[in-house]
């Protein structure tokens, strides 16, 4: 085969335009409206052709036009304003600089399988990737010392188109990585920085690329190198593609390779945040490194490194978590297991809920939970669901004490906000709504916005949405090969003055994309009302292997073709960031109909809410905690159903009722000035109540102050002086667990048992414990108490720690304390003993419970 000699060609920018490169190579421009306008100004039509990719834009503009722009005073003034804004952003004092300027060695590493940063950078599939991208953007706004780690997919995620029957088809266009804003990382010699990952019996080479996201750097690994085998070059070929083997190898590159890349780049992260279980192998690599460098035992290294690990789970159903056959895991980790100093059974047990069940598959979520000091779901409701899902890991702990908490997701508001709405906020809220990301009080000023200005701003976005939909619909109908008569209808579909509902998300069965069509005749009457018409825009992809999800899309497309729906219902193909931006900025109502409680969070409604779009949703995910009665609508009150068909019928009828009696009349109720005053007031309540809380600035503050900073302090304390504290903690754990089976609660005495006490009266309790060869300071004697359910269970119990009193003549230890019940009713308590050491992670301590 002939040898091809490669080189790269870049645009030749006039000297005066050189700083366009600085803007293009920092994705800060994706959330700065003036920067986006600068790219449009270069060549509006070409900007659309290159799909909003400034690197390709600069490479395709004729040289003579670039020369003319370098002499255009107006354009140069615009460019200078944008570069000045970028320079000011990068050099300004951040929230972190102000509050934590004394913190050194505080690097936070964020691992994610996908990142949704811009439509022109397609290494994301949906909500998980969008969240990861927004996470980095807010980390930049706050100035957190965070670096991202991911994979550079050469074909990204699939693109969607529909055949003439409405059935989803997929294709994978290659990504031209040399037209992306990425920089290859090199050694001091100038050669590419190469990371080796042992996969099975051979090494795989990975190169590393850097993406600038404001103040934050994202590092992406890529295995498409000549020295790798064709099979290994395919590891970073496609997001969520291939079989089980490919997924394992991808997750090894992300977790093991990603951590090694950071170390080779000079980072020594105190905290590693695993966004979903895909990155859980990072925890093993961190342990392996500590063992190799400090000659630690596995348990010593685990205790130390897990103190600096954070894990976020996004999946509310067991089937959504990666599970791999044990034999495949062993094929890839044979040498790794030896380096960890573990037996095969001990290693496989790290990924099993029941460590002693050889038939159980290896679960990445279980591995992450066991190796992280902090774990969380992505909404309050999802935190509760997750504690119930994974309670087998802590069989003796009450569900309420399972060590999985919740930090509700958010969105990066500036990324998703329309330019017109941002200008309106600047005018009436002042620039602090974006320049001071921790000041939430500024959102109270939304009431200052005149109703007419807010509504006219929204109307302009509705007009742009309709124009965009007609253009996209026409293109997809031509692609589908439909008759010209049907293609012409694309120019007539939708009306910007009608009430518009948006429904856009991944099409999975539990999201119930067709719930609105449960009663087609009733829906048709709502949509085609002579005085108060309604229209709906659908968009979304189904996973290529999800045939029920594809069937939902096909059904909607068939509804779109029926005479009673064809002017009122549209399905847009190939849902991505660009389509999402138009929808969340231009519709009037954002609809979400998941089967509760299967929506972990659901951030699309937050993006719509930031634009004043009202949310209409099942009270699931984030909406369960966000709905306040006047800031949107709730479909039901969170009832649980055993019969899915009955649930669909009841909730679809509730949805129709809301539309007919509340939502549609409110939208069309106009005064003499043609303003829907009642609707506008609800829009303002939406902005005031949702924007301050459901954004990634608040989310990052929660992560920083609840997880990142405490984990950093704990990690440094455990690893100081060659891991001295971690070694002591591991020795303590070995000693205590060796005697734990002999620990017994001998007696419990209560001065109020089976008696009636008054509210707020103290109840005295004494617990006698046989500690075997342990010391009182090795354990925590506790009372778990609370109101009793009708089934005889303690509901949402509280914990009271008893104080050591003295040794009994028989050698047992006596602990005493009092509890106080603040409410009336039937109360109960149980005594328990918990292994107690300040340097052991909570997930370890909660495994060692002895109940009386």
């Amino acid at each position: 085969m002939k040898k091809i000699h490669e080189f790269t060609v870049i645009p030749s920018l006039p000297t005066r335009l050189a700083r366009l490169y600085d803007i293009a190579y920092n994705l800060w421009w994706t959330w700065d409206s003036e920067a986006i306008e600068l790219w449009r100004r270069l060549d509006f039509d070409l900007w659309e052709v290159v799909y909003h990719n400034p690197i390709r834009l600069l490479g395709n503009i004729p040289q003579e036009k670039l020369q003319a722009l370098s002499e255009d005073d107006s354009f140069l003034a615009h460019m200078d304003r944008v570069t000045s804004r970028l320079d000011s952003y990068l050099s300004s004092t951040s929230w972190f600089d102000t509050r934590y300027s004394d913190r050194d060695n505080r690097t936070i590493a964020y691992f994610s399988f996908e990142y949704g940063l811009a439509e022109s950078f397609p290494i994301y599939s949906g909500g998980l990737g969008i969240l990861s991208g927004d996470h980095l953007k807010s980390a930049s706004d706050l100035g957190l010392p965070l670096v991202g780690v991911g994979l550079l997919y050469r074909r990204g995620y699939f693109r969607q188109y529909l055949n003439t029957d409405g059935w989803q088809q997929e294709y994978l266009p290659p990504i031209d990585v040399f037209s992306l804003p990425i920089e290859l990382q090199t050694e001091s010699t100038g050669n590419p920085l190469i990371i080796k990952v042992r996969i099975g019996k051979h090494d795989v080479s990975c190169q590393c690329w850097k993406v600038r996201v404001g103040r934050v750097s994202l590092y992406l690994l890529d295995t498409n190198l000549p020295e790798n085998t064709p099979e290994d070059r395919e590891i970073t070929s496609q997001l969520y593609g291939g079989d089980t083997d490919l997924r394992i190898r991808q997750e090894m590159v992300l977790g093991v390779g990603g951590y090694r890349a950071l170390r080779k780049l000079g980072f020594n992260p105190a905290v590693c945040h695993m966004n979903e279980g895909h990155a859980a192998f990072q925890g093993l690599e961190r342990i392996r490194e500590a063992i190799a460098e400090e000659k630690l035992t596995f348990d010593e290294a685990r205790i130390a490194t897990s103190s600096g690990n954070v894990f976020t789970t996004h999946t509310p159903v067991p089937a959504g978590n990666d599970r791999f056959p044990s034999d495949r895991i062993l094929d890839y980790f044979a040498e790794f297991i030896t380096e960890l100093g573990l037996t095969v059974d001990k290693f496989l047990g790290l990924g099993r809920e029941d460590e002693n069940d050889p038939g159980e598959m290896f679960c990445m979520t279980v591995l992450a939970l066991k190796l992280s000091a902090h774990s969380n779901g992505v909404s309050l409701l999802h935190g509760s669901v997750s504690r119930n899902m994974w309670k087998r890991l802590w069989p003796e702990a009450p569900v309420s004490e399972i060590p999985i908490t919740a930090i509700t997701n958010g969105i990066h508001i500036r990324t998703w906000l329309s330019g017109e709405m941002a200008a309106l906020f600047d005018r009436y809220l002042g620039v602090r709504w974006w320049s001071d990301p921790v000041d939430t009080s500024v959102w109270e000023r939304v009431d200052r916005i005149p109703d007419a200005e807010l509504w006219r701003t929204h109307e302009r976005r509705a007009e742009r949405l309709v124009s965009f939909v007609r253009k996209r619909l026409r293109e997809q109908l031509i692609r589908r090969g439909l008759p010209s008569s049907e293609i012409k209808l694309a120019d007539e579909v939708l009306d910007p003055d009608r009430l518009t509902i948006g429904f856009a998300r991944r099409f999975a069965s539990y999201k119930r994309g067709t719930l609105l069509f449960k009663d087609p005749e009733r829906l048709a009457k709502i949509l085609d009302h002579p005085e108060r018409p309604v229209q709906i825009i659908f968009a979304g992809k189904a996973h290529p292997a999800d045939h029920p999800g594809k069937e939902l899309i096909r059904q909607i497309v068939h509804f779109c073709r029926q005479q009673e729906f064809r002017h009122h219902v549209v399905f847009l193909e190939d849902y991505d960031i660009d389509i999402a931006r138009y929808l969340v900025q231009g519709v009037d109502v954002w609809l979400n109909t998941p089967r509760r409680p299967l929506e972990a969070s659901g951030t699309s409604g937050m993006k719509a809410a930031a634009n004043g779009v009202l949310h209409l949703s099942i009270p699931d995910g984030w909406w369960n905690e966000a709905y306040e009665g006047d800031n949107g609508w709730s479909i039901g009150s969170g009832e649980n159903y055993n019969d899915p068909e009955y649930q669909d019928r009841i909730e679809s009828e509730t949805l129709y009722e809301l539309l007919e009696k509340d939502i549609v009349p409110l939208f069309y109720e106009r005064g003499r000035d043609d303003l829907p005053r009642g609707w506008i007031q609800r829009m303002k309540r939406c902005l005031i109540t949702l924007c301050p809380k459901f954004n990634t600035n608040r989310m990052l503050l929660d992560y920083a102050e609840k997880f990142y900073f405490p984990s950093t302090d704990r990690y440094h304390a455990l690893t100081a002086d060659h891991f001295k504290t971690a070694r002591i903690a591991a020795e303590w754990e070995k000693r205590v667990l060796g005697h734990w089976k002999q620990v017994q609660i001998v007696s419990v005495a209560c001065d109020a048992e089976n008696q009636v006490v008054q509210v707020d009266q103290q109840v005295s309790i004494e617990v006698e414990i046989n500690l075997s060869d342990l010391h009182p300071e090795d354990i925590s004697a506790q009372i778990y108490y609370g109101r009793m359910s009708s089934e005889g269970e303690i509901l949402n119990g509280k914990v009271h720690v008893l104080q050591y009193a003295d040794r009994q003549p028989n050698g047992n230890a006596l602990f005493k304390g009092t509890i106080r019940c603040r409410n009336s009713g039937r109360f109960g308590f149980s005594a328990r003993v918990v292994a107690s050491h300040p340097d052991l992670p909570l997930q370890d301590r909660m495994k060692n419970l002895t109940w009386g």
Side-chain angles (χ1 to χ4, degrees):
M1 182 177 178
K2 61 185 178 184
K3 179 175 177 60
I4 299 176
H5 300 272
E6 299 183 23
F7 57 93
T8 302
V9 179
I10 63 172
S12 177
L13 290 182
T15 303
R16 186 63 177 87
L17 300 182
R19 294 225 58 195
L20 288 175
Y21 273 131
D22 295 336
I23 305 169
Y25 276 86
N26 192 318
L27 291 176
W28 164 88
W29 69 260
T30 62
W31 70 90
D32 186 272
S33 56
E34 193 165 0
I36 295 170
E37 285 303 315
L38 180 69
W39 299 127
R40 288 186 177 133
R41 186 170 179 173
L42 276 165
D43 190 319
F44 182 84
D45 292 333
L46 184 57
W47 177 245
E48 296 301 318
V49 170
V50 300
Y51 212 50
H52 310 158
N53 183 331
I55 310 298
R56 289 184 60 202
L57 178 71
L58 294 174
N60 283 276
I61 293 178
Q63 201 65 38
E64 57 270 20
K65 184 171 183 178
L66 289 173
Q67 189 60 45
L69 286 169
S70 72
E71 300 169 4
D72 184 333
D73 291 345
S74 176
F75 178 82
L76 292 175
H78 189 170
M79 183 190 74
D80 290 343
R81 285 197 307 273
V82 172
T83 54
S84 178
R85 287 163 69 91
L86 174 59
D87 292 342
S88 175
Y89 177 86
L90 295 177
S91 62
S92 62
T93 301
S94 69
W95 168 82
F96 181 83
D97 294 332
T98 302
R99 294 284 300 277
Y100 300 98
S101 58
D102 60 333
R103 286 176 172 262
D104 296 323
N105 302 319
R106 305 286 168 166
T107 302
I108 303 152
Y110 181 81
F111 292 75
S112 185
F113 218 36
E114 50 175 303
Y115 289 90
L117 294 161
E119 57 267 35
S120 58
F121 206 139
I123 57 169
Y124 67 95
S125 69
L128 180 70
I130 301 299
L131 176 78
S132 300
D134 284 6
H135 195 107
L136 297 191
K137 291 174 183 179
S138 274
S140 172
D141 288 343
L142 294 169
L144 285 176
L146 184 143
V147 293
V149 181
L151 303 181
L152 180 63
Y153 302 100
R154 294 300 180 119
R155 291 194 294 273
Y157 196 53
F158 76 88
R159 304 290 298 273
Q160 177 201 54
Y161 69 97
L162 306 180
N163 66 17
T164 54
D165 187 43
W167 190 259
Q168 174 181 293
Q169 307 289 302
E170 300 92 23
Y171 69 103
L172 279 167
I175 298 173
D176 180 6
V177 298
F178 298 103
S179 293
L180 294 176
I182 57 178
E183 306 163 53
L184 183 65
Q185 299 302 284
T186 59
E187 305 271 14
S188 57
T189 60
N191 295 321
L193 185 146
I194 300 297
I195 299 95
K196 302 283 188 179
V197 179
R198 190 77 170 173
I199 298 182
K201 297 180 179 179
H202 68 285
D203 288 335
V204 174
S205 296
C206 312
Q207 60 187 352
C208 184
W209 303 81
K210 179 180 178 180
V211 184
R212 299 178 189 273
V213 187
R215 298 180 175 104
V216 165
S217 295
L218 166 63
Y219 295 97
L220 301 174
L221 296 187
D222 169 23
T223 64
N224 187 26
L225 294 170
E227 58 262 39
N228 287 332
T229 66
E231 184 181 41
D232 290 334
R233 295 181 72 163
E234 286 294 304
I235 291 175
T236 55
S237 63
Q238 181 187 351
L239 173 62
Y240 300 129
D243 56 13
T244 296
D245 280 329
L246 179 61
R247 179 65 67 86
I248 296 174
R249 291 184 292 138
Q250 285 182 327
E251 295 184 354
M252 291 185 73
V253 171
L254 174 64
V256 178
Y259 187 79
R260 289 180 183 175
L262 291 179
R263 300 293 283 125
K264 201 162 187 179
L265 287 163
F267 294 102
N268 184 18
V271 174
C272 290
H273 185 169
M274 296 172 272
N275 190 41
E276 249 320 351
H278 308 126
F281 291 142
Q282 167 270 321
L284 295 176
E285 169 59 17
R286 208 173 182 190
I287 292 172
R288 186 206 63 78
E289 182 191 66
I291 291 173
E293 293 185 354
E294 298 290 339
K295 308 302 183 215
L296 304 175
T297 66
F298 176 84
D299 285 329
E300 289 169 346
R302 176 187 57 80
I303 289 171
T305 59
S306 64
S307 68
N309 287 340
V310 172
F311 170 58
T312 298
T313 175
H314 295 259
T315 311
V317 289
N321 297 271
D322 281 347
R323 296 178 188 270
F324 302 124
S326 297
D327 59 340
R328 305 310 297 140
I329 290 291
L330 293 179
D331 285 344
Y332 290 115
F333 277 93
E335 294 187 18
F336 207 104
I337 295 171
T338 302
E339 292 183 71
L340 292 176
L342 295 177
T343 65
V344 167
D345 289 341
K346 184 75 172 177
F347 178 82
L348 292 175
L350 294 171
R352 291 171 175 163
E353 293 178 70
D354 181 351
E355 297 179 359
N356 300 313
D357 181 3
E360 186 178 335
M361 297 179 76
F362 190 96
C363 178
M364 297 295 284
T365 301
V366 171
L367 177 64
L369 287 168
K370 289 183 177 181
L371 298 184
S372 300
H374 297 285
S375 299
N376 69 287
V378 289
S379 69
L380 293 178
L381 180 59
H382 180 234
S384 175
V385 170
S386 298
R387 286 189 289 275
N388 277 283
M389 275 181 61
W390 302 110
K391 60 186 178 183
R392 285 182 61 205
L393 288 170
W394 298 274
E396 294 298 325
V399 172
S400 62
E401 290 191 281
I402 297 297
I404 303 174
T405 184
I407 291 180
T408 302
N409 281 344
I411 56 118
H412 187 253
I413 290 180
R414 291 186 69 193
T415 292
W416 299 101
L417 194 66
S418 72
E420 294 89 345
M421 190 69 82
L424 195 66
F425 288 168
D426 281 349
R427 191 152 58 246
Y428 292 101
L429 278 62
V431 297
R432 285 214 331 273
W433 73 268
W434 60 266
S435 66
D436 187 356
V438 300
D439 182 7
T440 59
S441 65
V442 71
W443 291 101
E444 295 293 334
R445 299 179 183 178
V446 165
D447 275 332
R448 299 179 183 179
I449 303 174
D451 288 358
E453 286 197 53
L454 180 58
W455 188 245
R456 300 304 174 218
T457 299
H458 180 64
E459 284 185 317
R460 286 193 293 274
R461 292 308 312 175
E463 290 165 2
R464 290 189 185 182
L465 171 63
V466 169
S467 176
F468 172 79
V469 169
R470 288 174 177 173
K471 179 175 178 289
R472 289 293 291 253
L473 184 60
R474 184 180 181 84
E475 291 172 355
Q476 70 188 46
L477 293 179
I478 291 172
R479 261 197 321 270
R480 215 178 292 167
L482 295 181
S484 58
S485 58
E486 205 160 331
I487 293 172
K488 288 179 181 178
L489 291 175
D491 297 329
E492 304 172 10
V493 75
L494 304 185
D495 182 334
D497 295 325
R498 291 179 179 176
L499 172 62
T500 305
I501 299 173
F503 182 99
R505 55 196 16 89
R506 180 168 61 89
F507 269 79
S509 299
Y510 80 87
K511 292 179 183 283
R512 298 189 295 179
T514 56
L515 185 68
L516 201 54
F517 294 96
K518 193 71 174 175
D519 186 341
E521 291 184 11
R522 189 172 180 182
L523 177 61
K525 290 178 181 178
I526 294 172
L527 300 184
D528 200 26
H529 192 284
E531 298 174 357
R532 302 181 309 203
V534 178
Q535 54 199 12
I536 312 168
I537 304 173
F538 286 92
K541 298 176 178 179
H543 187 278
D546 184 3
H547 292 283
K550 291 183 177 182
E551 175 59 24
L552 293 177
I553 293 174
R554 192 189 72 84
Q555 290 175 20
I556 291 173
V557 172
H558 279 253
F559 278 119
C560 292
R561 294 175 182 171
Q562 294 179 17
Q563 186 61 38
E564 60 269 38
F565 296 121
R566 64 190 310 151
H567 291 288
H568 307 284
V569 184
V570 171
F571 187 94
L572 293 181
E573 297 177 5
D574 205 26
Y575 183 49
D576 68 353
I577 288 176
D578 189 40
I579 292 177
R581 194 180 290 113
Y582 275 96
L583 288 177
V584 300
Q585 293 173 4
V587 300
D588 301 297
V589 174
W590 195 260
L591 177 64
N592 191 22
T593 54
R595 195 181 300 283
R596 192 178 190 268
L598 301 182
E599 183 85 287
S601 179
T603 56
S604 61
M606 301 178 193
K607 302 176 181 79
N611 287 280
V613 173
L614 300 180
H615 202 219
L616 168 62
S617 176
I618 300 292
D620 197 6
W622 77 285
W623 194 236
N624 187 63
E625 61 197 84
Y627 175 61
E628 294 186 4
D630 60 354
N631 59 353
W633 293 275
S634 176
I635 305 169
S637 302
E639 298 86 356
N640 294 317
Y641 298 88
N642 294 321
D643 183 347
E645 280 297 318
Y646 178 70
Q647 179 181 6
D648 289 353
R649 181 166 64 82
I650 294 298
E651 292 182 341
S652 64
E653 289 178 359
T654 304
L655 175 55
Y656 295 138
E657 288 274 325
L658 282 169
L659 288 170
E660 292 166 340
K661 297 180 179 180
D662 193 350
I663 298 171
V664 177
L666 185 66
F667 181 84
Y668 285 103
E669 186 179 308
R670 309 293 171 102
R672 296 171 68 179
D673 55 6
D674 198 35
L675 293 178
R677 298 279 182 179
W679 190 275
I680 294 169
Q681 284 308 116
R682 198 169 278 251
M683 288 175 68
K684 289 184 176 182
R685 288 299 301 159
C686 163
L687 294 168
I688 290 170
T689 59
L690 303 181
C691 287
K693 183 176 181 181
F694 297 98
N695 65 77
T696 41
N697 290 333
R698 184 274 314 154
M699 183 187 82
L700 261 293
L701 288 173
D702 282 351
Y703 275 115
E705 295 179 340
K706 295 179 181 178
F707 291 176
Y708 294 164
F709 297 161
S711 292
T712 297
D713 294 338
R714 176 57 57 196
Y715 176 77
H716 285 312
L718 286 169
T719 58
D721 195 15
H722 299 285
F723 291 73
K724 178 180 178 180
T725 304
R727 295 176 197 267
I728 293 171
E731 183 61 34
W732 179 92
E733 185 179 46
K734 181 179 179 181
R735 175 178 63 82
V736 170
L737 293 187
H739 295 281
W740 194 256
K741 289 183 179 179
Q742 284 75 50
V743 174
Q744 290 182 326
I745 294 178
V746 177
S747 66
V748 179
C750 171
D751 64 0
E753 187 158 6
N754 295 321
Q755 296 184 24
V756 175
V757 299
Q758 295 180 335
V759 170
D760 230 20
Q761 178 180 332
Q762 284 191 343
V763 176
S764 297
I765 298 171
E766 293 185 358
V767 178
E768 183 181 337
I769 303 173
N770 177 359
L771 293 178
S772 183
D773 290 329
L774 301 184
H775 309 297
E777 58 268 25
D778 291 330
I779 62 100
S780 174
Q782 301 175 351
I783 295 299
Y784 181 77
Y785 71 103
R787 189 185 296 274
M788 301 289 291
S789 70
S790 57
E791 290 79 22
E793 298 292 330
I794 296 174
L795 298 173
N796 300 317
K798 296 181 179 180
V799 175
H800 176 74
V801 178
L802 302 174
Q803 299 301 310
Y804 173 65
D806 55 40
R807 284 280 185 178
Q808 300 291 82
N810 58 10
N812 293 336
L814 184 67
F815 292 81
K816 296 181 179 182
T818 60
I819 59 175
R820 202 187 289 264
C821 298
R822 304 293 185 182
N823 306 103
S824 60
R826 187 67 176 169
F827 279 74
F829 73 88
S830 290
R832 70 185 190 186
V833 184
V834 184
S836 177
H837 193 286
D839 296 319
L840 277 187
L842 181 60
Q843 77 269 23
D844 278 12
R845 298 199 303 271
M846 294 308 295
K847 282 184 178 179
N848 303 305
L849 290 174
T850 295
W851 292 89

